[in-house]
Structures are given as structure tokens and as C-alpha cells.
């Protein structure tokens, strides 16, 4: 199947939110604390899109995945308990969500590959991300995609696992 990765548009907020809302429910059903504090919410997605940081993975005309992709925009990463692999410009990944109908197809990994191209096109050689300690699926996705565990960062008062992938030319 052919998937397309592109910037999200404001008229897609409802479709994107439906994906994230289901992901929030899945996290809760799995017993995770991640995304159980009112974040993310529709306003966060609206803000991503207004900052041109919201990206979707589509299959034909259907949105099957969402991610926020920012450049040098995560102040919490300045205070890592541990050590990043690199300094300098970096791409940040937040709010990865895959449509319920498309789980188990490796689409989160595919989005990470698109994000690596996004970074390379901008001559940025580092991608940083974080996830909850109780999100084994995302931890596996990062590790299988070559991301390295670098330590812990504090976001919204909670400690999270921090990962980095350094891209080589």
C-alpha cells in the first residue's frame, strides 16, 4: 500500500482528533498514564497545524496517522537527566497516533522514516523524541528504528524516556 506523508490542513482537525482520541482510550485501556491528563487535546492539534507542525500519513484520501514535527522546539529537552548524543539543531517528534483500523502495520515506523527525510532535507542530523515508561509499543518502535535511549526528561511534571537518532549523510 502506498502512503503519503504531508503537512496537515486546518480542515482535517476532526479526523486527526478522532485518531488521537482513540489512541488516548487505547493508552488508558492498556493501563498507561500517558495522555491521561487532558493532553493532547483538540487545541494542541489546532496549535500544531497553525504552526505548520502537524503532519499526517494518508492512504489514498484517508488520514491513517498523525504526528507533530517541530524544529528546535522542546525546552524540556534542555534539562535531560542523561546525555543527548548530539548538540545543535534537531527535529522533535510529539503526539504520534495511528488510526485504529491501521494498527500493527508498522505505520509509526514509516512515519519515523518520513521524519528522517524531513530532517535531512533541512540539513538537520538529529531527531529527538520522548515517551512514557509505560508505552512499550512506542519504546519498541523507537529502538527498532535506531533511536538511542539517552536518559529522562520532565514533561508536564512527569519523567519520560528520551530518545535520539543521529542521521548520517
Amino acid at each position: 500500500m502506498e502512503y503519503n506523508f504531508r503537512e496537515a490542513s486546518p480542515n482535517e482537525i476532526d479526523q486527526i482528533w478522532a485518531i488521537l482520541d482513540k489512541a488516548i482510550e487505547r493508552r488508558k485501556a492498556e493501563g498507561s498514564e500517558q495522555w491521561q491528563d487532558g493532553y493532547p487535546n483538540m487545541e494542541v492539534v489546532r496549535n500544531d497545524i497553525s504552526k505548520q507542525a502537524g503532519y499526517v500519513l494518508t492512504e489514498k484520501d484517508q488520514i491513517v496517522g498523525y504526528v507533530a514535527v517541530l524544529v528546535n522546539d522542546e525546552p524540556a529537552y534542555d534539562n535531560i537527566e542523561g546525555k543527548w548524543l548530539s548538540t545543535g539543531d534537531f527535529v522533535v517528534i510529539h503526539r504520534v497516533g495511528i488510526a485504529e483500523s491501521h494498527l500493527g502495520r508498522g505505520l509509526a515506523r514509516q512515519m519515523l522514516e518520513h521524519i528522517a527525510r524531513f530532517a535531512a532535507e533541512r540539513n538537520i542530523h538529529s531527531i529527538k523524541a520522548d515517551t512514557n515508561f509505560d508505552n512499550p509499543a512506542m519504546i519498541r518502535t523507537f529502538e527498532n528504528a535506531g533511536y538511542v535511549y539517552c536518559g529522562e526528561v520532565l514533561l508536564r511534571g512527569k519523567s519520560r524516556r528520551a530518545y535520539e537518532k543521529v542521521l548520517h549523510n
Side-chain angles (χ1 to χ4, degrees):
M1 184 54 61
E2 181 82 18
Y3 295 98
N4 184 33
F5 185 74
R6 63 169 172 76
E7 193 176 315
S9 64
N11 65 338
E12 296 171 321
I13 289 175
D14 289 340
Q15 293 170 72
I16 292 165
W17 180 245
I19 290 170
L20 289 177
D21 196 36
K22 281 286 188 196
I24 290 166
E25 288 176 23
R26 273 195 313 276
R27 301 298 308 128
K28 184 175 186 173
E30 293 166 359
S32 174
E33 291 180 21
Q34 187 170 358
W35 290 0
Q36 303 305 307
D37 60 358
Y39 167 94
N41 55 52
M42 216 154 173
E43 191 54 40
V44 170
V45 174
R46 201 172 281 118
N47 189 41
D48 287 345
I49 292 172
S50 74
K51 292 188 334 189
Q52 298 179 305
Y55 283 79
V56 291
L57 189 70
T58 61
E59 177 184 76
K60 296 183 179 143
D61 293 335
Q62 181 186 8
I63 295 173
V64 297
Y66 177 77
V67 62
V69 182
L70 305 114
V71 177
N72 297 326
D73 190 12
E74 183 45 79
Y77 288 3
D78 292 344
N79 301 309
I80 186 170
E81 257 185 61
K83 186 170 177 22
W84 293 112
L85 303 175
S86 68
T87 59
D89 290 338
F90 58 95
V91 167
V92 181
I93 303 169
H94 282 310
R95 298 177 279 290
V96 174
I98 301 298
E100 194 107 342
S101 60
H102 285 67
L103 292 174
R105 298 186 192 183
L107 297 187
R109 171 80 181 262
Q110 193 170 124
M111 281 201 299
L112 294 181
E113 291 167 10
H114 284 288
I115 293 163
R117 283 194 287 280
F118 171 98
E121 287 165 1
R122 288 155 180 79
N123 204 27
I124 297 173
H125 303 285
S126 166
I127 304 171
K128 295 179 181 177
D130 63 85
T131 193
N132 256 40
F133 284 84
D134 62 4
N135 189 342
M138 200 68 220
I139 291 168
R140 241 185 345 271
T141 299
F142 284 141
E143 291 175 352
N144 290 341
Y147 284 68
V148 175
Y149 173 71
C150 294
E152 297 177 25
V153 292
L154 203 59
L155 277 120
R156 292 182 323 283
K158 300 238 164 98
S159 186
R160 296 172 55 87
R161 291 178 63 95
Y163 288 89
E164 182 177 9
K165 181 172 185 170
V166 176
L167 306 175
H168 303 284
N169 296 345

